[in-house]
Amino acid sequence: MDLFDKFSPLIRDRDALFSDGGPVPTAICMDELVSQTVAIIDGRETILAGTNNYLGLTFDPRSVEAAEEALKAGGTGTTGSRNCNGTYSGHRTLEAKLAEFYGTQSAMVFSTGYQANLAMLSTLAGPKDYILIDADCHASIYDGCKLGNATVIRFRHNDPVDLEKRLRRLGDDCNKLIVVEGLYSMLGDIAPLDEFVAVKSRVPNSYILVDEAHSLGVMGETGRGAAQYFGVGDQVDFIVGTFSKSVGTIGGFCVSNHPEFEILRLVCRPYMFTASLPPSVVASATTALDIIRTTPNLRDKLWNNANRLYRGLSNAGFKLGAPVSPVVAVKVPSLEIAFAFWRSLVESGVYVNLMVPPATPQNWYLLRCSLCAAHTAEQIDTITGVFIKIAGEFGLLEESAGNGVNGKTVSINGTHPSVADAKRASRRRAGGAAAATG
Amino acid sequence: MLGPFNKEGIALNRDTNIATDLELDSLAVMDLLAAIEDEFDISVPLNILPDLETIGQMADAVEAIVQEKN
């Protein structure tokens, strides 16, 4: 009898897959960062096509300089929580900057994006309240629900009709918090937020929280995210986000116009019982938000790169997870092929994320590419070429070329997705889910 | 209703374990709950999932929710 007995099946699976000395997906170590888009892995110069560094700001000289100054002035850490000696003027400045960035009354900064979701979901909805979450929501949202006492209902992914049906079942006389993401990180599909806020406005006592983790800096005219892209930012009650993707550092936040929002500082346990962000991180996040707002060119570069990779892969016959977005998820048929394909990519100097169930929707095996504004056209073409070469070795493209919605007939115009594209995609996904589960 | 979820076509009874006999993973169980919600026009909270191990327990939970509604 051993505490670790329950992990035996997982230990067996891990050893069966990973014990031959080759690259292991969960144990990749970057020995050296050459740039935002290149690292040395196992002594090999590798193109990074799996990071969340969408705008390439991790080495921006302005953010680095701000962090260096704050580090020297404020030290390496605050050694305190926000409510007890862990709030420096920099934290206040960052919160003011966020409120300005989103045009909201209030902003709260957390130590990670994960904690921001834990905090909001466990606190906003209490024992008599309901949380309705999109089925494909991130683990941090599921975990936040577990930490709280609300009743949790799940609705079909990106399906406003299904959401409305489930809201109506609960009746008008209870508080209902709807939770969706702007851009879903597994497939890169976008939520039809205009339809979701319309549902919210039709059902009394309902609120909507949008997690813009992957859409902040990536969508919308000034980079606020998917809600801004759909023109519904003022109808979203709570926006949660992270500094660990396009902002290029670490931390999380929530912004809102609710008049009593500030009380959350006294009730959110994941805010109260953890150390606040170090001054250097706060300073680089503050600087990066300004860069994001004032540099739409970065978004154009990112979407151009996304289009280039998407077009290259779909023209070659790969099956992709969603319409074009900075997350391009390549579907492969099995765990064995996914793992072997991923290893070949790494050994060819291309790093992407290997994603497997239960993290993925509908038990898909994915080689997930994430684009960066700093990728060059040559790097994108190298990634595409390596994918095609390996797929050829595995005999994957012959059978799939030209099939399905992501086959050769797809044409992509312009650099940003159209609202119609996003809606078509959400219907397709919703229809697929219904067929699979009905 | 369990038909589409019974991939191996095993014989089902009240004691059939959802995870070990039907081999449904957590996502498939949540999809099954969504199908049950629509069939009976009820809300089945995710919160009760940890207490449901067998088909019988699931049926009893659904029965209780339907009773409460009527």
Side-chain angles (χ1 to χ4, degrees):
Chain A
M1 188 136 178
D2 189 297
L3 272 178
F4 283 61
D5 282 349
K6 55 182 161 296
F7 305 124
S8 298
L10 186 59
I11 289 170
R12 260 198 312 278
D13 289 350
R14 179 199 63 186
D15 292 347
L17 270 177
F18 298 159
S19 57
D20 61 357
V24 172
T26 51
I28 284 288
C29 176
M30 309 210 182
D31 298 319
E32 191 190 327
L33 270 294
V34 178
S35 71
Q36 308 99 304
T37 58
V38 176
I40 308 296
I41 297 174
D42 283 339
R44 196 181 298 114
E45 196 161 285
T46 303
I47 300 174
L48 300 176
T51 72
N52 298 313
N53 196 1
Y54 295 117
L55 300 181
L57 293 182
T58 47
F59 285 93
D60 188 280
R62 294 161 287 184
S63 293
V64 171
E65 190 187 341
E68 280 174 348
E69 280 174 19
L71 176 66
K72 282 176 188 144
T76 50
T78 66
T79 73
S81 63
R82 287 298 306 276
N83 290 352
C84 308
N85 73 277
T87 295
Y88 292 4
S89 65
H91 297 87
R92 287 271 165 79
T93 305
L94 175 54
E95 285 173 342
K97 178 68 70 184
L98 274 166
E100 179 196 334
F101 183 91
Y102 277 102
T104 55
Q105 188 179 302
S106 304
M108 244 172 115
V109 166
F110 299 85
S111 296
T112 66
Y114 179 81
Q115 281 165 301
N117 269 335
L118 284 192
M120 298 311 293
L121 294 167
S122 64
T123 313
L124 280 175
K128 291 177 181 161
D129 305 327
Y130 291 87
I131 303 181
L132 292 99
I133 59 173
D134 184 290
D136 283 6
C137 275
H138 187 255
S140 58
I141 290 169
Y142 278 88
D143 291 357
C145 291
K146 263 192 200 170
L147 188 62
N149 299 308
T151 302
V152 184
I153 308 281
R154 189 170 164 264
F155 62 90
R156 293 188 206 282
H157 176 58
N158 269 355
D159 189 339
V161 174
D162 191 69
L163 167 65
E164 182 156 7
K165 187 168 64 183
R166 288 181 156 69
L167 280 170
R168 299 278 181 203
R169 273 184 198 140
L170 299 173
D172 293 349
D173 301 328
C174 55
N175 289 317
K176 297 166 288 284
L177 177 65
I178 302 158
V179 182
V180 297
E181 297 180 31
L183 195 162
Y184 286 85
S185 63
M186 283 298 148
L187 301 178
D189 48 340
I190 293 162
L193 291 182
D194 52 342
E195 296 180 38
F196 279 128
V197 299
V199 169
K200 184 207 85 156
S201 68
R202 285 197 292 272
V203 180
N205 296 316
S206 53
Y207 300 79
I208 187 164
L209 180 151
V210 178
D211 182 344
E212 300 268 24
H214 289 266
S215 29
L216 162 60
V218 168
M219 299 180 73
E221 196 185 346
T222 59
R224 288 178 187 171
Q228 184 182 40
Y229 169 76
F230 283 102
V232 296
D234 57 341
Q235 296 164 69
V236 172
D237 299 284
F238 307 96
I239 287 178
V240 170
T242 176
F243 304 139
S244 62
K245 305 190 192 317
S246 62
V247 180
T249 178
I250 188 168
F253 67 88
C254 180
V255 296
S256 176
N257 282 320
H258 194 286
E260 298 298 348
F261 187 74
E262 290 291 319
I263 194 65
L264 295 178
R265 295 186 199 271
L266 302 184
V267 289
C268 279
R269 297 173 67 87
Y271 175 85
M272 299 159 70
F273 297 104
T274 194
S276 63
L277 287 171
S280 54
V281 167
V282 169
S284 53
T286 307
T287 307
L289 282 172
D290 269 339
I291 298 170
I292 289 171
R293 184 170 54 82
T294 57
T295 325
N297 183 34
L298 285 174
R299 277 179 283 291
D300 293 340
K301 279 188 188 165
L302 173 65
W303 282 92
N304 280 334
N305 285 344
N307 270 297
R308 192 178 186 93
L309 182 66
Y310 191 96
R311 206 166 38 224
L313 293 175
S314 68
N315 284 347
F318 284 99
K319 291 181 177 171
L320 306 179
V324 64
S325 89
V327 175
V328 177
V330 178
K331 292 189 210 168
V332 284
S334 69
L335 177 62
E336 290 70 29
I337 292 175
F339 182 51
F341 201 121
W342 176 85
R343 275 194 163 171
S344 289
L345 285 167
V346 171
E347 285 162 358
S348 307
V350 173
Y351 178 81
V352 304
N353 292 125
L354 172 64
M355 290 292 166
V356 301
T360 54
Q362 299 177 40
N363 291 330
W364 280 326
Y365 297 93
L366 303 172
L367 297 161
R368 183 181 68 173
C369 311
S370 304
L371 278 303
C372 177
H375 279 133
T376 63
E378 292 71 37
Q379 284 176 317
I380 306 279
D381 294 346
T382 302
I383 297 165
T384 310
V386 169
F387 259 95
I388 291 171
K389 176 173 163 286
I390 296 170
E393 289 162 11
F394 282 88
L396 286 182
L397 291 177
E398 287 79 357
E399 49 192 276
S400 62
N403 285 343
V405 292
N406 294 312
K408 287 180 175 172
T409 54
V410 172
S411 68
I412 300 144
N413 302 312
T415 56
H416 291 254
S418 72
V419 171
D421 278 346
K423 285 183 186 164
R424 267 197 301 278
S426 73
R427 296 222 177 82
R428 203 154 56 220
R429 282 294 317 282
T437 57
Chain B
M1 271 193 78
L2 278 166
F5 294 90
N6 186 3
K7 298 254 159 54
E8 304 293 324
I10 62 169
L12 304 177
N13 60 53
R14 280 188 62 87
D15 296 325
T16 304
N17 187 295
I18 295 162
T20 54
D21 298 331
L22 269 181
E23 297 183 357
L24 296 191
D25 59 23
S26 58
L27 288 177
V29 174
M30 287 192 274
D31 287 340
L32 172 58
L33 279 195
I36 289 172
E37 287 183 317
D38 291 341
E39 175 73 21
F40 296 98
D41 193 25
I42 54 173
S43 300
V44 183
L46 290 192
N47 314 51
I48 66 169
L49 268 185
D51 298 328
L52 307 181
E53 290 184 4
T54 65
I55 290 178
Q57 288 167 347
M58 190 173 266
D60 291 344
V62 171
E63 177 72 23
I65 294 169
V66 172
Q67 291 290 336
E68 197 179 336
K69 182 185 151 204
N70 293 329

